[in-house]
Amino acid sequence: MNRLLIITAFSLTLLGCASDSNKQAEKEIKTNSTTKKNKQISNLNISILLDLSDRIDTTKYNNPSMQFYRRDVGYLNSVAEAFEDEIKHKKSRHLDDKIQLYFDPEPLNPKINDLSNQLKFHVTRDNGTLDYINAISSTYAYFGLEIYKQALKDANHDNGSDTWGFFKNKVKDYCIDKDYRNILVILTDGYIFYEDSNLNEDNLSSYITPKKIRHKKLNSSNWKEIIESNNHGFIPVNQDLSNLEILVLGINPSTSNNNDYDYDVLKKYWSDWLYGMGLKEGNFEFKMAELPANMDIIIKNFIKNK
């Protein structure tokens, strides 16, 4: 009898464990299924911010291997191709995906604004044919190049690009939509300067230039210690970017005038600023101005969330 009781109790324990295991397995299957489903029907909202300052000047910053504006065009094409790849296999009823391009300030050249309108796509079940989707990257390649050609003629590009102002006043309205996977791709050399927005608050500022880095004595191996002990950085703009991913491309640190640590300083400035706005760990990348062929897989993996 005692043996029978022991066997019965042991059997019940096994059944209980099996039941718990089955419940856990069912929970994991349900969770994985939900995650897979959410990923499958996740709608993309990709915004691109172009820095059309003098960084693209082919005389001031000449690069014989490939001019920086042409690198930008290559990056634009990779972003558009990744957008295409992500949506072309979706069921038509799930299509509700966007890609668009912005500047700050708006170029004085009206042709640039007209060209940028050609690069706003909202793909839905009503227009999302395969031919329409497949034309997005070629449209970006063509009109993207035309935008840069026009920008090189625009004398206003010497005034800089108001990236800080864009984050302060526009990023939330322009780049973040509820129930979307929001991605902002910024094409810039990493420095921020706009002649109408040079703000300073103690050791914080709305801009960073090679001259500013030297002035703050950040052009030495103890740059990080100086930044952290003196609270150097960008002025906060009090935005919640927790629902945004950011890819910064085209970083081109100065190598003249003993600015060997500019890349590190720029990355620190940007990282502290963005994480201070609630950007999630791993949702921000900072990449040098490499050749587009080398950056293609990096850009696509970021957008594919690999």
Side-chain angles (χ1 to χ4, degrees), residues 67-78:
Q67 299 293 355
F68 292 109
Y69 80 90
R70 289 195 172 273
R71 295 175 193 237
D72 279 11
V73 174
Y75 304 155
L76 284 175
N77 193 50
S78 292

Side-chain angles (χ1 to χ4, degrees), residues 162 164-165 168 192-199 205-207:
D162 194 12
W164 184 86
K168 180 178 182 292
I192 293 180
F193 175 80
Y194 180 53
E195 67 174 14
D196 294 334
S197 180
N198 296 318
L199 305 178
S205 62
S206 63
Y207 64 100

